[in-house]
Amino acid sequence: MNVKPDTEAPAAMSTTPLLHRDARARPRWKGSFISVLSFTIVAMVGTLMFFAHRGRHGHRANEIQGVARLPVMGYNTWNAYHCDINEELIIKTAKFMKTLGLTDAGYTHVNLDDCYSEKQRSPSGDILASKDKFPSGMKALTDQIHDLGLQAGIYSDSGWFTCQIYPGSYQNEARDAKLFQDWGFDYLKYDNCAVPFDNITRENIMGRYERMANAISDLSKSSGKPPLVLSMCQWGREQGWLWAKKYGQSWRTTNDIQPTWESIADLINQNSFYTWASDFYGHNDMDILEVGNGDLSYEEAKTHFTAWALMKSPLLISADLESASQETLEILTNPEIIAISQDPVVGTSVSPFRWGINPDYVSNVTHPAQYWSGESQNGTVFMLINTLDEPATMFFNLTESPWIRAGRQYAVRDLWAHTNNGTAVRNFTAHGVPAHGVVALLLEDAGDEPEGLWPPCAVIEWCMAEDGTMIDPDKKWSAEGREDL
Ligand code: GAL
């Protein structure tokens, strides 16, 4: 297995190479005084240029690493409660996370979403926690969350207001980051509503996120505390997967989720084209989970959770935990699926190796890619999604996945049935996959495949004997030798 090392951001730019390069370029025939003077001027100009450049596209956020290496797992209030939140509910939810075994399963965060504040800032300019919803104040809230062994998340917006028209953080980034840290929060979801006019920002979305990323980075440096985890919520606009890793730890790749199969299929389809962007410290965010909500059937909820976990999206539960069914809890705590999400050795996502119903790379909101695989520390993960409205048989050749070695056989582990399903040689067939259902498998190398299999290459294209004979798949191999069919 080709395990990639931790992805670290490029080292912070230094002026030193610039000075050396320019210093080396100085002509030797000049007198030493002129050389020193020129060197000094170049050094000053270089330094000024560096800081000027850094002011515009400074990657200060990149200079601090070490938070959210793996996809964040926790709770977010939005899908379950929208604006109807208060301190009692948050603490009750945090306690349910413990008593229902969710924290033991790996869920660590309790995150507030929109609508926690007053509509106006204080006279001195600070965001105020809503007196009605959070009468004890935010510090008391995060203290209780921390006392339960959990971390706490808050929400703001890169524009004038949040999406529900509470104060946003534009032009108040440093002040708000400090307030959130003083309130005791560890994590910030940052939205994209109420965008100021172009002639004010002279920036697009990337610049507005950069402002908060730099504020968080500066605050971490001045306070000596870890940076707030920055979760960027721009609904997959302006290709966050290309640039957002410079600023934070996750970025939305998709529209807002709904608790329907149509929405789940749509988001899987969208994200299938960007799976390459997720790795340690930076994750595609497919939005808050809807497991336990709306009209999702048991099979659909399993598919939803599997796809989010194996594509290394943050896993943020957002159902009413008090009334959560046993099935919902079983899905959310499946240890074998969570182990892939939280793999400490392999940070990458599964990706489609065959679209199935559609030709490869065709975008289809109702029928996303069906055959997926990826690496994990314990073997190759396969995810098969039956996008049809009826049960289906799903078949694949093992070496369609690049992570499978030709000429080997594989022990098959079913990550939902929790059973060992024998050994796969060359191919695998899943019978009776339910409508909108999923099959999640872990294939572990189990040694050489049996001798004498025909054809001698599982992939027949350009399969050739050492003497130059092209292998004809219409012949078969037996212990006695090759014979015509
Ligand atoms: C949306 C966001 C939702 C939720 C909502 C709050 O932009 O996608 O997850 O945060 O705003 O108003």
Side-chain angles (χ1 to χ4, degrees):
M1 192 193 311
N2 187 10
V3 176
K4 289 176 76 181
D6 283 11
T7 309
E8 295 295 347
M13 232 169 102
S14 145
T15 51
T16 313
L18 183 66
L19 296 183
H20 284 168
R21 197 168 55 242
D22 286 332
R24 272 200 304 273
R26 305 255 46 93
R28 279 170 166 263
W29 52 268
K30 292 269 185 191
S32 62
F33 173 74
I34 294 174
S35 293
V36 169
L37 186 66
S38 309
F39 181 91
T40 308
I41 290 168
V42 168
M44 286 170 66
V45 170
T47 306
L48 284 173
M49 279 173 65
F50 166 65
F51 281 109
H53 172 79
R54 196 168 107 141
R56 172 62 181 77
H57 282 297
H59 299 163
R60 278 175 279 165
N62 254 353
E63 294 168 11
I64 296 176
Q65 292 291 307
V67 289
R69 179 175 186 265
L70 299 172
V72 170
M73 293 175 64
Y75 192 94
N76 174 293
T77 51
W78 184 254
N79 287 354
Y81 302 109
H82 294 98
C83 282
D84 202 5
I85 55 174
N86 58 61
E87 61 187 33
E88 201 185 318
L89 174 78
I90 306 295
I91 296 304
K92 191 170 79 174
T93 301
K95 288 183 176 160
F96 271 126
M97 286 178 67
K98 298 221 73 148
T99 53
L100 296 175
L102 293 164
T103 50
D104 286 346
Y107 295 89
T108 51
H109 282 67
V110 178
N111 298 343
L112 276 57
D113 210 284
D114 209 344
C115 311
Y116 62 82
S117 74
E118 296 290 338
K119 289 268 178 175
Q120 304 294 333
R121 288 175 178 265
S122 72
S124 62
D126 279 334
I127 295 178
L128 291 165
S130 158
K131 283 191 212 62
D132 290 343
K133 296 174 184 168
F134 296 93
S136 312
M138 288 303 183
K139 187 66 175 69
L141 184 82
T142 62
D143 282 348
Q144 286 191 70
I145 293 173
H146 289 145
D147 286 348
L148 288 165
L150 294 161
Q151 297 198 293
I154 190 77
Y155 165 96
S156 190
D157 191 288
S158 59
W160 298 124
F161 302 100
T162 72
C163 304
Q164 308 303 317
I165 318 298
Y166 290 83
S169 291
Y170 186 68
Q171 290 181 348
N172 280 294
E173 289 85 357
R175 167 195 289 272
D176 291 353
K178 169 97 171 55
L179 179 74
F180 299 148
Q181 189 184 67
D182 290 348
W183 275 350
F185 288 102
D186 312 281
Y187 173 110
L188 172 64
K189 171 174 171 178
Y190 207 46
D191 219 325
N192 185 39
C193 288
V195 177
F197 296 165
D198 294 357
N199 65 1
I200 295 174
T201 67
R202 306 281 180 205
E203 291 280 17
N204 65 6
I205 187 171
M206 195 167 87
R208 295 195 303 283
Y209 280 118
E210 185 182 69
R211 294 169 65 97
M212 182 50 93
N214 286 341
I216 289 172
S217 175
D218 289 347
L219 176 65
S220 175
K221 272 186 260 178
S222 63
S223 69
K225 294 186 179 166
L228 296 165
V229 174
L230 183 60
S231 153
M232 288 167 277
C233 177
Q234 32 55 266
W235 324 300
R237 308 286 203 274
E238 286 93 3
Q239 301 179 287
W241 45 93
L242 297 180
W243 50 263
K245 193 173 187 176
K246 288 191 283 194
Y247 305 123
Q249 289 72 36
S250 66
W251 49 87
R252 285 274 295 277
T253 51
T254 60
N255 300 327
D256 279 6
I257 194 169
Q258 303 295 326
T260 63
W261 173 249
E262 289 67 33
S263 171
I264 301 302
D266 178 11
L267 303 197
I268 292 172
N269 176 59
Q270 289 183 46
N271 203 65
S272 69
F273 296 95
Y274 322 124
T275 55
W276 47 266
S278 278
D279 208 335
F280 294 130
Y281 297 109
H283 295 101
N284 288 341
D285 177 357
M286 298 170 70
D287 207 358
I288 311 158
L289 295 168
E290 292 281 18
V291 175
N293 295 338
D295 296 332
L296 292 178
S297 70
Y298 176 57
E299 298 301 335
E300 291 166 347
K302 275 167 62 186
T303 305
H304 168 27
F305 187 67
T306 308
W308 267 236
L310 271 48
M311 285 200 248
K312 305 284 167 93
S313 172
L315 297 175
L316 297 172
I317 302 168
S318 193
D320 175 358
L321 293 182
E322 193 164 14
S323 60
S325 69
Q326 206 45 44
E327 278 186 349
T328 291
L329 294 171
E330 256 169 46
I331 292 171
L332 293 170
T333 57
N334 180 335
E336 297 194 76
I337 296 293
I338 291 173
I340 309 295
S341 153
Q342 301 292 298
D343 189 326
V345 179
V346 178
T348 47
S349 160
V350 292
S351 295
F353 59 84
R354 174 155 47 93
W355 262 244
I357 290 179
N358 291 296
D360 290 350
Y361 298 101
V362 166
S363 173
N364 184 322
V365 295
T366 52
H367 293 89
Q370 295 187 289
Y371 294 87
W372 306 62
S373 73
E375 293 177 285
S376 85
Q377 64 172 339
N378 295 319
T380 302
V381 187
F382 283 85
M383 175 169 79
L384 315 179
I385 301 175
N386 177 14
T387 60
L388 298 174
D389 299 336
E390 61 209 42
T393 295
M394 301 185 75
F395 169 92
F396 63 94
N397 288 309
L398 302 190
T399 53
E400 284 184 83
S401 162
W403 314 117
I404 289 290
R405 289 172 64 189
R408 306 287 283 183
Q409 56 189 350
Y410 285 83
V412 179
R413 175 78 183 168
D414 185 322
L415 303 181
W416 279 109
H418 308 299
T419 52
N420 296 323
N421 289 8
T423 306
V425 179
R426 293 213 163 177
N427 56 53
F428 184 87
T429 306
H431 296 279
V433 184
H436 305 170
V438 74
V439 176
L441 306 169
L442 184 63
L443 267 64
E444 288 180 77
D445 191 305
D448 285 341
E449 68 179 22
E451 288 296 321
L453 295 182
W454 181 261
C457 307
V459 176
I460 201 66
E461 185 185 31
W462 263 104
C463 181
M464 186 169 277
E466 208 176 347
D467 67 4
T469 310
M470 188 77 86
I471 298 305
D472 178 350
D474 294 332
K475 315 260 183 168
K476 72 175 180 186
W477 186 259
S478 72
E480 289 74 43
R482 226 171 86 177
E483 17 176 274
D484 288 332
L485 280 172

